[in-house]
Amino acid sequence: MKNLFILCAVAFAIASAGCNHDPVSPDASKAKVNDPANPSSATTGSTSDACFDIPTPIMGTVTQGDITTVGGNTSVTVCWSYQTPANSYYTGTYYKPQGNKPNRPYGVVPTDALNKGTGQALHSPYEFWGGSQLTIVTLPSYSGHYDVERSLDGGATWTEIAETKELCYTDNNGGAGFTVGQVVQYRIEEKSNETKSGKQANDCTHHSLYSNVGSHTICGPISISDSYDATADPFSATVNCTTQMVDLAWKITAHNRTQNTCTGDITQTNSFDYTGNLCVTTDNGTTWTTVTWGGSQYTLSVPLPSAGTYTVQYALTSGTCDINNVVASSTFSVTADPCSPACDPTLPINNPVTYSIVGSNGQYPTSVDGNFTWNSATQVTVKASGQQWNSHVDYLGTTTNTCTGSTTVANQCGAPLYYCFVDAATGDPISSAVQISCTGNHYNIDGTNKINNPHIGVVKTYYLKFFTDAACTNLFWTVTFNAQ
């Protein structure tokens, strides 16, 4: 027991003697000093060589070039900016940089002065800060850069496509470009190399958080569905009393179209006769009939309906034969009892013929035939200086069917015709009936039956009257004859 007491007393004495010594002064060579190679390295609170946070970049614009043709491609340019945080971002509290990095110096704000002088930073002293290397933010060799990442699957996966010190990057998808409808997304990360511990250079990477995502849908011209004329043209509907049907005939013009998804503008690029199969209805969609292209037009015969106006509607068989898918239409009318005996289109009484005379080439106004200038079917001019006048004329019969409204014109060359020449002022005949005959499929006022000028050199008006008899009693046509 006595020995134990002695040991404790010795220990107490030794401890008391130690506590009474003055503390050892720190070695001046180990004091924390400013290192010109490591900006702010002696800053109070720092556990690293100037490890500043890199503020998150700010996404800017995502734009594309024009696509001028369907199936074309374009490049995309993405731009962003560095962030300039308030000083409190650096001085308000401690920040621990992303990853396993020591705390940055407390209360030190990156400035151009820390970059060894004015204008030494690339864009801003807030870019590319990381560790102890002045080359992080000092010209000419920056270790810092932006990583540009792209996603083509809605952000499910990201691929780094560029490292750049610029604030924009043009992406051409490896040369393939981007096509209309593709959705491209971008995000930006800012990076620099730094010292993790001690003086090792570039032994770890310091980076910002990712910027917000910039997204763009590629737009441009795409092919869209064809359009069709609202009214089928030409269109005809003929009543066939023999079959008791209405014979329909028509064409439909289709138009290729493109639409620019950037502007919404629709452009018509090509027009052509549509020749595919059609569904046709004449009862507003209750029944449909399929018709095929006949080489020059579509045709369809439908049972002769009662009097009224009917609409023929056309839908494409490539879709649904439905009234909501009609692409064109036509109308036709049926008169009351179109095929009754009173309106039998085959009866002569329903096919009256009117006759007329015109220059043999059938063209007017101001069409010249011989000495005549035909201004219309009922008026000619000739030179007053001529001693005789001659012309070839057609004797035309125009038949108009009063049941169907159809018109036919036929040359009536055959039996002889006669003309009389009359003074318009007095009504006196200047010649007796002169016969003209038909040769070469037209009548000839020439040779022995030329019209003699009774007043050579005088401007005067006459009547040239045509008859079907030698007595000049069955008058059917009169032409005003101006000698000028």
Side-chain angles (χ1 to χ4, degrees), residues 371-372 382 386-391 419-421 430-431 434 436 445-454 462-464 466 481:
N371 298 122
F372 290 16
V382 294
Q387 294 183 339
Q388 292 178 316
W389 298 297
N390 71 90
S391 180
Y419 77 81
C420 288
F421 202 54
I430 296 174
S431 66
V434 178
I436 55 176
I445 303 177
D446 59 11
T448 57
N449 59 21
K450 285 183 178 178
I451 303 172
N452 292 316
N453 185 350
Y462 305 94
Y463 291 134
L464 180 61
F466 290 89
F481 196 96

PDB file of all heavy atoms in Angstrom, residues 371-372 382 386-391 419-421 430-431 434 436 445-454 462-464 466 481:
ATOM      1  N   ASN A 371     -62.774  37.757-149.947  1.00  0.00           N
ATOM      2  CA  ASN A 371     -62.820  39.207-149.744  1.00  0.00           C
ATOM      3  C   ASN A 371     -63.590  39.582-148.488  1.00  0.00           C
ATOM      4  O   ASN A 371     -63.620  40.741-148.112  1.00  0.00           O
ATOM      5  CB  ASN A 371     -63.485  39.896-150.953  1.00  0.00           C
ATOM      6  CG  ASN A 371     -62.709  39.670-152.237  1.00  0.00           C
ATOM      7  OD1 ASN A 371     -63.245  39.144-153.190  1.00  0.00           O
ATOM      8  ND2 ASN A 371     -61.445  40.057-152.261  1.00  0.00           N
ATOM      9  N   PHE A 372     -64.239  38.613-147.859  1.00  0.00           N
ATOM     10  CA  PHE A 372     -65.069  38.897-146.682  1.00  0.00           C
ATOM     11  C   PHE A 372     -64.218  38.884-145.409  1.00  0.00           C
ATOM     12  O   PHE A 372     -63.355  38.039-145.247  1.00  0.00           O
ATOM     13  CB  PHE A 372     -66.166  37.827-146.493  1.00  0.00           C
ATOM     14  CG  PHE A 372     -67.260  37.856-147.519  1.00  0.00           C
ATOM     15  CD1 PHE A 372     -67.126  38.540-148.716  1.00  0.00           C
ATOM     16  CD2 PHE A 372     -68.436  37.159-147.290  1.00  0.00           C
ATOM     17  CE1 PHE A 372     -68.138  38.532-149.656  1.00  0.00           C
ATOM     18  CE2 PHE A 372     -69.454  37.153-148.216  1.00  0.00           C
ATOM     19  CZ  PHE A 372     -69.315  37.840-149.427  1.00  0.00           C
ATOM     20  N   VAL A 382     -66.197  44.447-146.253  1.00  0.00           N
ATOM     21  CA  VAL A 382     -65.406  44.227-147.457  1.00  0.00           C
ATOM     22  C   VAL A 382     -64.838  45.564-147.903  1.00  0.00           C
ATOM     23  O   VAL A 382     -65.266  46.627-147.431  1.00  0.00           O
ATOM     24  CB  VAL A 382     -66.271  43.630-148.599  1.00  0.00           C
ATOM     25  CG1 VAL A 382     -66.753  42.249-148.250  1.00  0.00           C
ATOM     26  CG2 VAL A 382     -67.436  44.557-148.917  1.00  0.00           C
ATOM     27  N   GLY A 386     -63.317  47.092-154.236  1.00  0.00           N
ATOM     28  CA  GLY A 386     -63.363  45.868-155.017  1.00  0.00           C
ATOM     29  C   GLY A 386     -64.485  45.883-156.052  1.00  0.00           C
ATOM     30  O   GLY A 386     -65.583  46.386-155.796  1.00  0.00           O
ATOM     31  N   GLN A 387     -64.205  45.291-157.223  1.00  0.00           N
ATOM     32  CA  GLN A 387     -65.252  45.190-158.242  1.00  0.00           C
ATOM     33  C   GLN A 387     -66.173  44.008-157.976  1.00  0.00           C
ATOM     34  O   GLN A 387     -67.342  44.044-158.346  1.00  0.00           O
ATOM     35  CB  GLN A 387     -64.597  45.035-159.626  1.00  0.00           C
ATOM     36  CG  GLN A 387     -63.820  46.271-160.058  1.00  0.00           C
ATOM     37  CD  GLN A 387     -63.250  46.126-161.459  1.00  0.00           C
ATOM     38  OE1 GLN A 387     -63.081  45.017-161.968  1.00  0.00           O
ATOM     39  NE2 GLN A 387     -62.954  47.246-162.104  1.00  0.00           N
ATOM     40  N   GLN A 388     -65.593  42.975-157.359  1.00  0.00           N
ATOM     41  CA  GLN A 388     -66.389  41.799-157.024  1.00  0.00           C
ATOM     42  C   GLN A 388     -65.926  41.281-155.657  1.00  0.00           C
ATOM     43  O   GLN A 388     -64.808  41.511-155.226  1.00  0.00           O
ATOM     44  CB  GLN A 388     -66.205  40.694-158.085  1.00  0.00           C
ATOM     45  CG  GLN A 388     -66.803  41.037-159.444  1.00  0.00           C
ATOM     46  CD  GLN A 388     -66.559  39.937-160.451  1.00  0.00           C
ATOM     47  OE1 GLN A 388     -65.452  39.411-160.531  1.00  0.00           O
ATOM     48  NE2 GLN A 388     -67.583  39.582-161.204  1.00  0.00           N
ATOM     49  N   TRP A 389     -66.886  40.575-155.003  1.00  0.00           N
ATOM     50  CA  TRP A 389     -66.540  39.992-153.700  1.00  0.00           C
ATOM     51  C   TRP A 389     -66.773  38.494-153.745  1.00  0.00           C
ATOM     52  O   TRP A 389     -67.708  38.011-154.384  1.00  0.00           O
ATOM     53  CB  TRP A 389     -67.417  40.610-152.612  1.00  0.00           C
ATOM     54  CG  TRP A 389     -67.210  42.103-152.462  1.00  0.00           C
ATOM     55  CD1 TRP A 389     -66.083  42.737-152.102  1.00  0.00           C
ATOM     56  CD2 TRP A 389     -68.190  43.121-152.692  1.00  0.00           C
ATOM     57  NE1 TRP A 389     -66.264  44.091-152.057  1.00  0.00           N
ATOM     58  CE2 TRP A 389     -67.572  44.374-152.419  1.00  0.00           C
ATOM     59  CE3 TRP A 389     -69.545  43.130-153.080  1.00  0.00           C
ATOM     60  CZ2 TRP A 389     -68.226  45.586-152.521  1.00  0.00           C
ATOM     61  CZ3 TRP A 389     -70.194  44.334-153.170  1.00  0.00           C
ATOM     62  CH2 TRP A 389     -69.537  45.562-152.910  1.00  0.00           C
ATOM     63  N   ASN A 390     -65.909  37.761-153.045  1.00  0.00           N
ATOM     64  CA  ASN A 390     -66.073  36.306-153.022  1.00  0.00           C
ATOM     65  C   ASN A 390     -65.779  35.776-151.622  1.00  0.00           C
ATOM     66  O   ASN A 390     -65.067  36.399-150.837  1.00  0.00           O
ATOM     67  CB  ASN A 390     -65.151  35.631-154.044  1.00  0.00           C
ATOM     68  CG  ASN A 390     -63.689  35.703-153.630  1.00  0.00           C
ATOM     69  OD1 ASN A 390     -63.195  34.824-152.942  1.00  0.00           O
ATOM     70  ND2 ASN A 390     -62.983  36.764-154.027  1.00  0.00           N
ATOM     71  N   SER A 391     -66.364  34.604-151.351  1.00  0.00           N
ATOM     72  CA  SER A 391     -66.119  33.952-150.068  1.00  0.00           C
ATOM     73  C   SER A 391     -66.582  32.510-150.146  1.00  0.00           C
ATOM     74  O   SER A 391     -67.370  32.147-151.042  1.00  0.00           O
ATOM     75  CB  SER A 391     -66.870  34.678-148.951  1.00  0.00           C
ATOM     76  OG  SER A 391     -66.643  34.046-147.708  1.00  0.00           O
ATOM     77  N   TYR A 419     -78.642  33.231-153.045  1.00  0.00           N
ATOM     78  CA  TYR A 419     -78.526  34.487-152.327  1.00  0.00           C
ATOM     79  C   TYR A 419     -79.086  35.612-153.186  1.00  0.00           C
ATOM     80  O   TYR A 419     -79.079  35.544-154.413  1.00  0.00           O
ATOM     81  CB  TYR A 419     -77.083  34.776-151.911  1.00  0.00           C
ATOM     82  CG  TYR A 419     -76.174  35.265-153.021  1.00  0.00           C
ATOM     83  CD1 TYR A 419     -76.180  36.614-153.410  1.00  0.00           C
ATOM     84  CD2 TYR A 419     -75.279  34.405-153.652  1.00  0.00           C
ATOM     85  CE1 TYR A 419     -75.327  37.062-154.403  1.00  0.00           C
ATOM     86  CE2 TYR A 419     -74.439  34.845-154.644  1.00  0.00           C
ATOM     87  CZ  TYR A 419     -74.450  36.188-155.029  1.00  0.00           C
ATOM     88  OH  TYR A 419     -73.626  36.637-156.018  1.00  0.00           O
ATOM     89  N   CYS A 420     -79.578  36.635-152.563  1.00  0.00           N
ATOM     90  CA  CYS A 420     -79.971  37.879-153.195  1.00  0.00           C
ATOM     91  C   CYS A 420     -79.200  39.000-152.529  1.00  0.00           C
ATOM     92  O   CYS A 420     -78.972  38.962-151.305  1.00  0.00           O
ATOM     93  CB  CYS A 420     -81.475  38.147-153.053  1.00  0.00           C
ATOM     94  SG  CYS A 420     -82.496  37.059-154.064  1.00  0.00           S
ATOM     95  N   PHE A 421     -78.800  40.000-153.299  1.00  0.00           N
ATOM     96  CA  PHE A 421     -78.045  41.138-152.796  1.00  0.00           C
ATOM     97  C   PHE A 421     -78.963  42.341-152.806  1.00  0.00           C
ATOM     98  O   PHE A 421     -79.555  42.683-153.840  1.00  0.00           O
ATOM     99  CB  PHE A 421     -76.816  41.357-153.684  1.00  0.00           C
ATOM    100  CG  PHE A 421     -75.710  42.115-153.008  1.00  0.00           C
ATOM    101  CD1 PHE A 421     -75.203  41.679-151.791  1.00  0.00           C
ATOM    102  CD2 PHE A 421     -75.171  43.256-153.580  1.00  0.00           C
ATOM    103  CE1 PHE A 421     -74.183  42.364-151.172  1.00  0.00           C
ATOM    104  CE2 PHE A 421     -74.158  43.942-152.964  1.00  0.00           C
ATOM    105  CZ  PHE A 421     -73.654  43.497-151.753  1.00  0.00           C
ATOM    106  N   ILE A 430     -80.402  44.157-155.817  1.00  0.00           N
ATOM    107  CA  ILE A 430     -79.399  44.554-156.809  1.00  0.00           C
ATOM    108  C   ILE A 430     -79.171  43.415-157.782  1.00  0.00           C
ATOM    109  O   ILE A 430     -78.753  43.611-158.909  1.00  0.00           O
ATOM    110  CB  ILE A 430     -78.097  44.949-156.082  1.00  0.00           C
ATOM    111  CG1 ILE A 430     -78.364  46.187-155.216  1.00  0.00           C
ATOM    112  CG2 ILE A 430     -76.963  45.224-157.041  1.00  0.00           C
ATOM    113  CD1 ILE A 430     -77.197  46.578-154.344  1.00  0.00           C
ATOM    114  N   SER A 431     -79.491  42.211-157.369  1.00  0.00           N
ATOM    115  CA  SER A 431     -79.358  41.075-158.275  1.00  0.00           C
ATOM    116  C   SER A 431     -80.537  40.150-158.050  1.00  0.00           C
ATOM    117  O   SER A 431     -81.164  40.156-156.991  1.00  0.00           O
ATOM    118  CB  SER A 431     -78.040  40.335-158.012  1.00  0.00           C
ATOM    119  OG  SER A 431     -78.067  39.748-156.729  1.00  0.00           O
ATOM    120  N   VAL A 434     -79.142  34.211-157.056  1.00  0.00           N
ATOM    121  CA  VAL A 434     -77.934  33.613-157.596  1.00  0.00           C
ATOM    122  C   VAL A 434     -77.701  32.295-156.857  1.00  0.00           C
ATOM    123  O   VAL A 434     -77.700  32.253-155.627  1.00  0.00           O
ATOM    124  CB  VAL A 434     -76.718  34.534-157.394  1.00  0.00           C
ATOM    125  CG1 VAL A 434     -75.451  33.857-157.934  1.00  0.00           C
ATOM    126  CG2 VAL A 434     -76.939  35.873-158.068  1.00  0.00           C
ATOM    127  N   ILE A 436     -75.662  29.160-155.437  1.00  0.00           N
ATOM    128  CA  ILE A 436     -74.308  28.769-155.026  1.00  0.00           C
ATOM    129  C   ILE A 436     -74.353  27.283-154.719  1.00  0.00           C
ATOM    130  O   ILE A 436     -75.316  26.770-154.185  1.00  0.00           O
ATOM    131  CB  ILE A 436     -73.821  29.580-153.816  1.00  0.00           C
ATOM    132  CG1 ILE A 436     -74.804  29.496-152.644  1.00  0.00           C
ATOM    133  CG2 ILE A 436     -73.592  31.037-154.178  1.00  0.00           C
ATOM    134  CD1 ILE A 436     -74.327  30.192-151.393  1.00  0.00           C
ATOM    135  N   ILE A 445     -69.050  31.177-153.012  1.00  0.00           N
ATOM    136  CA  ILE A 445     -69.457  32.419-153.685  1.00  0.00           C
ATOM    137  C   ILE A 445     -68.213  32.904-154.419  1.00  0.00           C
ATOM    138  O   ILE A 445     -67.396  33.673-153.898  1.00  0.00           O
ATOM    139  CB  ILE A 445     -69.955  33.467-152.674  1.00  0.00           C
ATOM    140  CG1 ILE A 445     -71.116  32.913-151.842  1.00  0.00           C
ATOM    141  CG2 ILE A 445     -70.370  34.746-153.370  1.00  0.00           C
ATOM    142  CD1 ILE A 445     -71.620  33.859-150.777  1.00  0.00           C
ATOM    143  N   ASP A 446     -68.032  32.420-155.618  1.00  0.00           N
ATOM    144  CA  ASP A 446     -66.852  32.795-156.415  1.00  0.00           C
ATOM    145  C   ASP A 446     -67.131  32.434-157.873  1.00  0.00           C
ATOM    146  O   ASP A 446     -68.218  31.928-158.218  1.00  0.00           O
ATOM    147  CB  ASP A 446     -65.596  32.101-155.887  1.00  0.00           C
ATOM    148  CG  ASP A 446     -65.704  30.576-155.901  1.00  0.00           C
ATOM    149  OD1 ASP A 446     -66.666  30.047-156.511  1.00  0.00           O
ATOM    150  OD2 ASP A 446     -64.831  29.912-155.300  1.00  0.00           O
ATOM    151  N   GLY A 447     -66.180  32.682-158.719  1.00  0.00           N
ATOM    152  CA  GLY A 447     -66.354  32.367-160.133  1.00  0.00           C
ATOM    153  C   GLY A 447     -67.534  33.135-160.717  1.00  0.00           C
ATOM    154  O   GLY A 447     -67.655  34.357-160.571  1.00  0.00           O
ATOM    155  N   THR A 448     -68.458  32.393-161.356  1.00  0.00           N
ATOM    156  CA  THR A 448     -69.587  33.047-162.044  1.00  0.00           C
ATOM    157  C   THR A 448     -70.622  33.601-161.073  1.00  0.00           C
ATOM    158  O   THR A 448     -71.476  34.395-161.462  1.00  0.00           O
ATOM    159  CB  THR A 448     -70.269  32.048-162.989  1.00  0.00           C
ATOM    160  OG1 THR A 448     -70.699  30.909-162.223  1.00  0.00           O
ATOM    161  CG2 THR A 448     -69.301  31.587-164.082  1.00  0.00           C
ATOM    162  N   ASN A 449     -70.584  33.175-159.794  1.00  0.00           N
ATOM    163  CA  ASN A 449     -71.595  33.672-158.860  1.00  0.00           C
ATOM    164  C   ASN A 449     -71.016  34.648-157.832  1.00  0.00           C
ATOM    165  O   ASN A 449     -71.554  34.816-156.752  1.00  0.00           O
ATOM    166  CB  ASN A 449     -72.307  32.517-158.142  1.00  0.00           C
ATOM    167  CG  ASN A 449     -71.356  31.631-157.352  1.00  0.00           C
ATOM    168  OD1 ASN A 449     -70.260  32.041-157.009  1.00  0.00           O
ATOM    169  ND2 ASN A 449     -71.779  30.400-157.076  1.00  0.00           N
ATOM    170  N   LYS A 450     -69.892  35.301-158.195  1.00  0.00           N
ATOM    171  CA  LYS A 450     -69.368  36.339-157.328  1.00  0.00           C
ATOM    172  C   LYS A 450     -70.378  37.476-157.201  1.00  0.00           C
ATOM    173  O   LYS A 450     -71.227  37.677-158.066  1.00  0.00           O
ATOM    174  CB  LYS A 450     -68.052  36.896-157.878  1.00  0.00           C
ATOM    175  CG  LYS A 450     -66.850  35.989-157.697  1.00  0.00           C
ATOM    176  CD  LYS A 450     -65.590  36.679-158.203  1.00  0.00           C
ATOM    177  CE  LYS A 450     -64.360  35.813-158.000  1.00  0.00           C
ATOM    178  NZ  LYS A 450     -63.151  36.474-158.529  1.00  0.00           N
ATOM    179  N   ILE A 451     -70.245  38.227-156.096  1.00  0.00           N
ATOM    180  CA  ILE A 451     -71.125  39.376-155.883  1.00  0.00           C
ATOM    181  C   ILE A 451     -70.495  40.589-156.553  1.00  0.00           C
ATOM    182  O   ILE A 451     -69.364  40.975-156.214  1.00  0.00           O
ATOM    183  CB  ILE A 451     -71.316  39.641-154.377  1.00  0.00           C
ATOM    184  CG1 ILE A 451     -71.885  38.391-153.679  1.00  0.00           C
ATOM    185  CG2 ILE A 451     -72.193  40.854-154.139  1.00  0.00           C
ATOM    186  CD1 ILE A 451     -71.923  38.500-152.176  1.00  0.00           C
ATOM    187  N   ASN A 452     -71.208  41.188-157.488  1.00  0.00           N
ATOM    188  CA  ASN A 452     -70.704  42.378-158.181  1.00  0.00           C
ATOM    189  C   ASN A 452     -70.914  43.618-157.320  1.00  0.00           C
ATOM    190  O   ASN A 452     -71.961  43.789-156.692  1.00  0.00           O
ATOM    191  CB  ASN A 452     -71.411  42.555-159.531  1.00  0.00           C
ATOM    192  CG  ASN A 452     -71.040  41.449-160.505  1.00  0.00           C
ATOM    193  OD1 ASN A 452     -69.877  41.088-160.623  1.00  0.00           O
ATOM    194  ND2 ASN A 452     -72.049  40.904-161.200  1.00  0.00           N
ATOM    195  N   ASN A 453     -69.913  44.503-157.310  1.00  0.00           N
ATOM    196  CA  ASN A 453     -69.997  45.754-156.556  1.00  0.00           C
ATOM    197  C   ASN A 453     -70.738  46.793-157.412  1.00  0.00           C
ATOM    198  O   ASN A 453     -70.226  47.223-158.437  1.00  0.00           O
ATOM    199  CB  ASN A 453     -68.595  46.251-156.204  1.00  0.00           C
ATOM    200  CG  ASN A 453     -68.623  47.469-155.313  1.00  0.00           C
ATOM    201  OD1 ASN A 453     -69.669  48.079-155.088  1.00  0.00           O
ATOM    202  ND2 ASN A 453     -67.445  47.854-154.802  1.00  0.00           N
ATOM    203  N   PRO A 454     -71.922  47.207-156.998  1.00  0.00           N
ATOM    204  CA  PRO A 454     -72.677  48.166-157.826  1.00  0.00           C
ATOM    205  C   PRO A 454     -72.205  49.599-157.652  1.00  0.00           C
ATOM    206  O   PRO A 454     -72.565  50.464-158.460  1.00  0.00           O
ATOM    207  CB  PRO A 454     -74.107  47.988-157.312  1.00  0.00           C
ATOM    208  CG  PRO A 454     -73.939  47.595-155.887  1.00  0.00           C
ATOM    209  CD  PRO A 454     -72.698  46.775-155.829  1.00  0.00           C
ATOM    210  N   TYR A 462     -75.151  46.937-147.473  1.00  0.00           N
ATOM    211  CA  TYR A 462     -76.075  46.090-148.226  1.00  0.00           C
ATOM    212  C   TYR A 462     -76.547  44.965-147.290  1.00  0.00           C
ATOM    213  O   TYR A 462     -76.043  44.777-146.195  1.00  0.00           O
ATOM    214  CB  TYR A 462     -75.379  45.466-149.435  1.00  0.00           C
ATOM    215  CG  TYR A 462     -74.725  46.465-150.368  1.00  0.00           C
ATOM    216  CD1 TYR A 462     -73.372  46.791-150.217  1.00  0.00           C
ATOM    217  CD2 TYR A 462     -75.453  47.064-151.393  1.00  0.00           C
ATOM    218  CE1 TYR A 462     -72.760  47.689-151.062  1.00  0.00           C
ATOM    219  CE2 TYR A 462     -74.829  47.970-152.251  1.00  0.00           C
ATOM    220  CZ  TYR A 462     -73.497  48.281-152.075  1.00  0.00           C
ATOM    221  OH  TYR A 462     -72.893  49.187-152.899  1.00  0.00           O
ATOM    222  N   TYR A 463     -77.505  44.207-147.801  1.00  0.00           N
ATOM    223  CA  TYR A 463     -77.906  42.974-147.135  1.00  0.00           C
ATOM    224  C   TYR A 463     -77.629  41.818-148.072  1.00  0.00           C
ATOM    225  O   TYR A 463     -77.994  41.863-149.263  1.00  0.00           O
ATOM    226  CB  TYR A 463     -79.394  42.986-146.787  1.00  0.00           C
ATOM    227  CG  TYR A 463     -79.754  43.972-145.696  1.00  0.00           C
ATOM    228  CD1 TYR A 463     -80.851  44.806-145.824  1.00  0.00           C
ATOM    229  CD2 TYR A 463     -79.009  44.046-144.519  1.00  0.00           C
ATOM    230  CE1 TYR A 463     -81.188  45.718-144.842  1.00  0.00           C
ATOM    231  CE2 TYR A 463     -79.337  44.945-143.523  1.00  0.00           C
ATOM    232  CZ  TYR A 463     -80.415  45.783-143.687  1.00  0.00           C
ATOM    233  OH  TYR A 463     -80.733  46.687-142.719  1.00  0.00           O
ATOM    234  N   LEU A 464     -76.971  40.781-147.570  1.00  0.00           N
ATOM    235  CA  LEU A 464     -76.769  39.540-148.309  1.00  0.00           C
ATOM    236  C   LEU A 464     -77.731  38.533-147.690  1.00  0.00           C
ATOM    237  O   LEU A 464     -77.526  38.077-146.566  1.00  0.00           O
ATOM    238  CB  LEU A 464     -75.312  39.067-148.174  1.00  0.00           C
ATOM    239  CG  LEU A 464     -74.945  37.777-148.897  1.00  0.00           C
ATOM    240  CD1 LEU A 464     -75.152  37.902-150.399  1.00  0.00           C
ATOM    241  CD2 LEU A 464     -73.487  37.393-148.578  1.00  0.00           C
ATOM    242  N   PHE A 466     -79.881  34.918-147.706  1.00  0.00           N
ATOM    243  CA  PHE A 466     -79.767  33.534-148.169  1.00  0.00           C
ATOM    244  C   PHE A 466     -81.147  32.872-148.131  1.00  0.00           C
ATOM    245  O   PHE A 466     -81.908  33.039-147.166  1.00  0.00           O
ATOM    246  CB  PHE A 466     -78.782  32.753-147.286  1.00  0.00           C
ATOM    247  CG  PHE A 466     -77.356  33.184-147.460  1.00  0.00           C
ATOM    248  CD1 PHE A 466     -76.834  34.213-146.690  1.00  0.00           C
ATOM    249  CD2 PHE A 466     -76.540  32.568-148.405  1.00  0.00           C
ATOM    250  CE1 PHE A 466     -75.516  34.611-146.838  1.00  0.00           C
ATOM    251  CE2 PHE A 466     -75.214  32.964-148.561  1.00  0.00           C
ATOM    252  CZ  PHE A 466     -74.703  33.988-147.779  1.00  0.00           C
ATOM    253  N   PHE A 481     -73.880  43.604-144.837  1.00  0.00           N
ATOM    254  CA  PHE A 481     -72.725  43.613-145.704  1.00  0.00           C
ATOM    255  C   PHE A 481     -72.226  45.059-145.799  1.00  0.00           C
ATOM    256  O   PHE A 481     -72.843  45.916-146.421  1.00  0.00           O
ATOM    257  CB  PHE A 481     -73.173  43.093-147.097  1.00  0.00           C
ATOM    258  CG  PHE A 481     -72.078  42.676-148.030  1.00  0.00           C
ATOM    259  CD1 PHE A 481     -71.710  41.340-148.117  1.00  0.00           C
ATOM    260  CD2 PHE A 481     -71.433  43.603-148.821  1.00  0.00           C
ATOM    261  CE1 PHE A 481     -70.720  40.942-148.998  1.00  0.00           C
ATOM    262  CE2 PHE A 481     -70.438  43.203-149.706  1.00  0.00           C
ATOM    263  CZ  PHE A 481     -70.074  41.876-149.789  1.00  0.00           C
TER     264      PHE A 481
END
